[in-house]
Amino acid sequence: MDFEIGPGKNTFEIPEIDFRAELNDEQFAAVTAKPGPLLILAGAGSGKTRTLTYRVAYLLSQGVRAGEILLLTFTNKAAKEMLTRVEELTGVEGRSFWGGTFHSIGHRLLRMHGEAIGVPKNFTILDAGEAETVLKHAVESVESAFFKNKTHPKPGPLSSIISMARNTCESIERTVIDFFPQHHEFIERIEGFAEAYAKRKKEQNVVDYDDLLVFWLKLLDEAPEVAEYYQQRFRHCLVDEYQDTNVLQAAIIDKMAPHHRIMAVGDDAQCIYSWRGANFDNILTFPDRHPETEILRIETNYRSTPEILTMANAIISNRTTAGFDKVLRAHKPSSQRPYVVQAMDTREQAQFVITRIRGLIDEGHDPKEIAVLYRSHFVALDMQMELSRAGVPYQITSGVRFFEQAHIKDLVAHLRLVYNPADVSAFLRIFLLLPKVGEKTAQKLYDHTLAIAKKNEIDFIDALRHEATIKKAPAAARADWESVALSLRDMKQIADSGSPDEVVQVAIDGWYSSYLQGAYANYSNRLEDLNSLVGFAARFEEMQELIAQITLLNSETADRMEESNESIRLTTVHQAKGLEFNVVFVIGAADGFFPTRRSIDTGDTEEERRLFYVAVTRARDELYVLYPKMNTKGGPSMFLNPSRFLQEIPTDLFEPIRIRRNYGW
């Protein structure tokens, strides 16, 4: 086989490896493929990491030196795991390779050659918080009062917009339109802020995370001697999870390997991160950008049963956009079909899951090998509630528990203060969100408001809007203060005669919604969480019942988490990618939940389909897909249809279950 190598030999002995015996036919073909552009379509559970590891070992066995191989991954964990396996297999130390995340390799190159593009070697890297602070100061240098308006995006969302634009190589205008439409009116101003931010970073000799990639590409474009050296040095470029690359990363790979000796390993059916900037077209157009690409498929799945894979294949085969044909084939023996479970609502859905989980544990299943997956956090609200009530320990691997999320705690603080104006903690939680209000100031303002209420013999909530109270607030906070006070007054008026769910709705529609829009880049997701509280609150007749239940559930769940390490896993599907479990429950598989209402309304549900496919392929042995028949998230109850991804596949691919009142089946 014709491998072009540079002068010199490996200085180590590679042990004899029987590649034919240790790999299946598909893996062997990929590992021993001739040099050139290679696109390896590695299906879920097919041994992708094994294939990459043996490819490195094979290159070494053919005389390629470790220093001539560039290995790019998306996480430090993946890089470390791969290089450790290579070392165990070949005896070649991992540090002999240039292997790591895109950002770590970019950092290494800039330390060595950054001066060629005006980046001093002694630059420092800003963490996310520091980068937002620098951006904040840059914005204020352009428009000093920008952040005083509560409807304006704060540094966090601004940072997300600028970062997305850089990683997708798009304009600020295009980025805002596509990903942050709530900030459309600020497009021109954000463009100016981005320029001021870049200037300030340069003055301070600092770079942010994105700069490590942006400047790497700039180095390849503007320092031809450096580019040529590394293009010749790295004779083989291996890229893991290629479907997750963004435009910037794909451009870097193409520039680093004009010789086209790239092995891109990925799966277009698992491209689910467009909201992070991943570009689905990168993997689809790889053969166009690299002529004579050899496409190889690894389709033998070692994870799931044939029945689970048959459902997964059917789901992805109904896609309406371009993609590579691929059919997963099971290595495991046949077993039961997946179950599709119709529940009346999300509570009944949760109760079914708990009943089945208890049965699984009684049968000897390890709780850590049982997972409940969902599309969005709000879908899991009832699941968390019922697990807590039932005393079933669980861990959330995709963030904090529902009621511990900052935006939920903020809104609950509104409810607590309206119900109990003596709740100083609730007051502080709300008013510390205002500009120029720290803990000492907030405490003084509370004491002052209380004094005004007593002096004028009025309610504390009404005293918040008293002229004497407003005058005491910092000038920068007064507009927000009046808006908060108005929201709290409206909530109090409804609370006197209305139901808890009506009070929650007023809270969402008031000042906090405006604050949320400016404070968070994922504003729409957080708003979904808040809206789900409306349906939850409708179950209670009294506000104190609602507040007490939330507090008790949080406390009891935290105690149980400390008591038990044997917990089932709750996680979003996004966070579950790369994981696998013996038993998987996918909840909320209804149109409007999964796929989301937004994707349905825009007519773009294909990434949702790929996400559903990822969810199904997490299961090894048993799979339950559940959907509620009624939506009680907020407002009037509405009938739901099963997810279109279920409706599209033959009914003989799954076992339907309709829950009886005693939760049997």
Side-chain angles (χ1 to χ4, degrees):
M1 196 166 291
D2 182 22
F3 273 84
E4 296 180 45
I5 61 172
K9 298 180 179 180
N10 282 320
T11 58
F12 39 78
E13 288 293 326
I14 304 298
E16 195 73 27
I17 300 172
D18 189 346
F19 292 96
R20 178 63 277 184
E22 296 192 26
L23 301 166
N24 67 30
D25 291 346
E26 299 159 343
Q27 294 167 344
F28 181 76
V31 165
T32 60
K34 66 181 181 180
L38 294 167
L39 180 58
I40 311 300
L41 299 172
S46 64
K48 171 179 64 67
T49 302
R50 184 178 183 81
T51 301
L52 273 167
T53 302
Y54 275 81
R55 175 63 173 180
V56 174
Y58 184 74
L59 292 175
L60 294 173
S61 74
Q62 297 297 306
V64 177
R65 294 175 298 178
E68 295 176 322
I69 300 171
L70 176 63
L71 178 61
L72 292 167
T73 64
F74 274 84
T75 66
N76 288 313
K77 180 182 177 183
K80 184 176 180 180
E81 178 185 359
M82 210 166 295
L83 293 175
T84 299
R85 288 198 195 182
V86 169
E87 185 171 342
E88 291 171 351
L89 192 60
T90 67
V92 181
E93 292 185 353
R95 62 185 181 183
S96 303
F97 300 90
W98 276 56
T101 65
F102 281 85
H103 293 88
S104 67
I105 298 297
H107 172 244
R108 187 171 177 178
L109 286 167
L110 289 174
R111 285 289 179 209
M112 298 169 66
H113 306 287
E115 289 178 335
I117 55 170
V119 180
K121 289 185 178 180
N122 66 334
F123 68 84
T124 51
I125 304 173
L126 301 169
D127 64 26
E130 292 166 340
E132 286 186 17
T133 299
V134 174
L135 175 59
K136 178 178 183 292
H137 293 154
V139 170
E140 290 172 341
S141 72
V142 175
E143 194 172 334
S144 60
F146 183 80
F147 294 121
K148 292 181 180 179
N149 189 317
K150 69 178 183 297
T151 63
H152 290 180
K154 290 180 170 53
L158 285 178
S159 180
S160 296
I161 293 168
I162 294 170
S163 176
M164 180 67 83
R166 302 182 82 196
N167 281 282
T168 57
C169 300
E170 288 285 1
S171 66
I172 293 290
E173 180 180 16
R174 185 75 260 159
T175 301
V176 171
I177 291 171
D178 289 346
F179 296 97
F180 307 92
Q182 68 268 29
H183 299 312
H184 187 275
E185 64 182 289
F186 303 108
I187 288 173
E188 289 186 10
R189 293 153 90 175
I190 296 172
E191 289 170 345
F193 297 157
E195 292 175 8
Y197 175 52
K199 181 180 177 183
R200 186 164 287 245
K201 283 186 296 178
K202 187 172 183 179
E203 290 171 349
Q204 297 179 8
N205 190 24
V206 295
V207 301
D208 62 22
Y209 205 51
D210 298 326
D211 288 325
L212 299 175
L213 300 187
V214 172
F215 291 156
W216 180 1
L217 184 58
K218 186 177 181 181
L219 190 65
L220 297 174
D221 285 335
E222 299 181 10
E225 291 182 1
V226 175
E228 186 178 355
Y229 171 78
Y230 286 101
Q231 288 163 352
Q232 292 183 2
R233 172 174 181 162
F234 295 125
R235 306 182 69 76
H236 297 274
C237 181
L238 283 64
V239 188
D240 190 18
E241 303 285 10
Y242 190 82
Q243 78 281 348
D244 293 336
T245 56
N246 58 39
V247 173
L248 182 55
Q249 290 161 332
I252 287 170
I253 295 163
D254 291 351
K255 288 274 187 181
M256 288 291 287
H259 47 64
H260 301 294
R261 285 191 292 276
I262 303 170
M263 175 186 267
V265 182
D267 182 5
D268 58 300
Q270 296 188 71
C271 183
I272 58 173
Y273 294 122
S274 67
W275 50 280
R276 288 184 188 170
N279 192 308
F280 184 63
D281 287 338
N282 285 347
I283 194 167
L284 295 185
T285 61
F286 184 89
D288 300 327
R289 289 180 285 111
H290 301 282
E292 300 181 17
T293 291
E294 183 178 5
I295 301 176
L296 297 171
R297 291 169 171 80
I298 305 177
E299 299 171 309
T300 301
N301 176 287
Y302 292 89
R303 176 187 300 159
S304 306
T305 63
E307 289 76 12
I308 291 172
L309 295 183
T310 300
M311 174 185 265
N313 288 330
I315 289 165
I316 206 67
S317 69
N318 286 311
R319 63 187 170 200
T320 58
T321 55
F324 296 104
D325 292 332
K326 184 173 69 281
V327 178
L328 295 178
R329 296 184 299 274
H331 180 73
K332 296 174 75 166
S334 185
S335 185
Q336 71 261 43
R337 290 184 295 176
Y339 299 98
V340 172
V341 184
Q342 180 194 83
M344 180 56 67
D345 55 23
T346 53
R347 273 196 287 185
E348 189 173 74
Q349 175 181 251
Q351 288 161 351
F352 173 90
V353 172
I354 291 169
T355 301
R356 184 63 192 120
I357 285 173
R358 283 175 165 160
L360 289 165
I361 293 173
D362 288 344
E363 293 165 18
H365 284 268
D366 184 345
K368 295 195 294 295
E369 290 298 338
I370 302 171
V372 180
L373 310 183
Y374 39 88
R375 171 62 182 86
S376 305
H377 282 292
F378 74 84
V379 174
L381 170 57
D382 273 310
M383 193 72 248
Q384 293 182 43
M385 302 285 291
E386 296 301 324
L387 284 168
S388 298
R389 286 195 180 111
V392 177
Y394 66 92
Q395 290 181 7
I396 297 183
T397 57
S398 58
V400 298
R401 295 188 291 274
F402 184 84
F403 285 111
E404 289 183 346
Q405 297 177 101
H407 53 294
I408 300 297
K409 292 178 80 171
D410 289 344
L411 199 83
V412 171
H414 284 67
L415 304 177
R416 287 168 51 190
L417 188 63
V418 167
Y419 175 68
N420 175 19
D423 189 338
V424 179
S425 296
F427 176 92
L428 295 177
R429 172 112 203 162
I430 299 166
F431 286 88
L432 282 171
L433 300 174
L434 275 54
K436 302 296 182 183
V437 177
E439 286 195 25
K440 289 183 179 178
T441 301
Q443 184 63 57
K444 289 178 181 177
L445 288 167
Y446 178 84
D447 294 339
H448 180 73
T449 305
L450 190 59
I452 294 293
K454 290 178 179 178
K455 179 181 178 181
N456 293 278
E457 297 182 349
I458 56 177
D459 185 271
F460 181 88
I461 299 299
D462 293 327
L464 288 168
R465 299 180 65 237
H466 195 281
E467 184 179 357
T469 307
I470 295 170
K471 282 184 178 180
K472 279 287 185 180
R478 283 175 193 163
D480 279 313
W481 183 284
E482 292 188 61
S483 295
V484 176
L486 187 61
S487 288
L488 293 169
R489 184 210 65 180
D490 292 345
M491 290 171 63
K492 178 177 174 291
Q493 289 178 344
I494 295 293
D496 289 340
S497 57
S499 58
D501 58 310
E502 292 175 311
V503 180
V504 172
Q505 189 64 64
V506 170
I508 294 170
D509 294 339
W511 169 83
Y512 192 69
S513 180
S514 298
Y515 167 82
L516 197 72
Q517 183 167 329
Y520 297 106
N522 61 342
Y523 156 75
S524 56
N525 292 336
R526 291 177 187 259
L527 190 59
E528 276 186 335
D529 286 346
L530 295 180
N531 285 330
S532 69
L533 278 180
V534 178
F536 176 69
R539 301 171 188 172
F540 300 88
E541 294 183 2
E542 300 290 338
M543 182 65 72
Q544 61 264 40
E545 288 181 67
L546 169 62
I547 296 170
Q549 189 66 29
I550 291 171
T551 306
L552 289 171
L553 278 168
N554 259 348
S555 176
E556 291 169 4
T557 304
D559 289 343
R560 290 193 182 108
M561 293 307 101
E562 290 175 5
E563 291 170 5
S564 175
N565 291 320
E566 295 297 302
S567 305
I568 66 164
R569 302 299 191 263
L570 266 64
T571 179
T572 63
V573 183
H574 280 107
Q575 292 295 321
K577 186 174 178 293
L579 304 178
E580 55 187 76
F581 305 90
N582 290 345
V583 184
V584 167
F585 296 87
V586 181
I587 62 173
D591 262 8
F593 288 0
F594 201 168
T596 63
R597 175 52 54 192
R598 285 197 302 275
S599 68
I600 294 171
D601 291 344
T602 59
D604 184 15
T605 60
E606 286 308 301
E607 183 160 330
E608 294 286 307
R609 178 189 304 282
R610 297 193 293 272
L611 191 62
F612 202 85
Y613 173 82
V614 167
V616 168
T617 54
R618 298 310 93 195
R620 294 190 190 107
D621 303 316
E622 290 187 42
L623 173 66
Y624 300 81
V625 182
L626 299 96
Y627 67 93
K629 189 176 179 181
M630 298 291 295
N631 176 18
T632 56
K633 186 179 72 171
S637 296
M638 297 174 59
F639 281 103
L640 294 170
N641 292 316
S643 170
R644 59 195 58 201
F645 307 138
L646 289 174
Q647 295 184 57
E648 292 167 351
I649 65 175
T651 56
D652 62 355
L653 298 187
F654 55 83
E655 191 75 38
I657 294 177
R658 293 205 175 184
I659 302 172
R660 296 199 298 267
R661 285 186 180 271
N662 65 352
Y663 307 111
W665 62 89

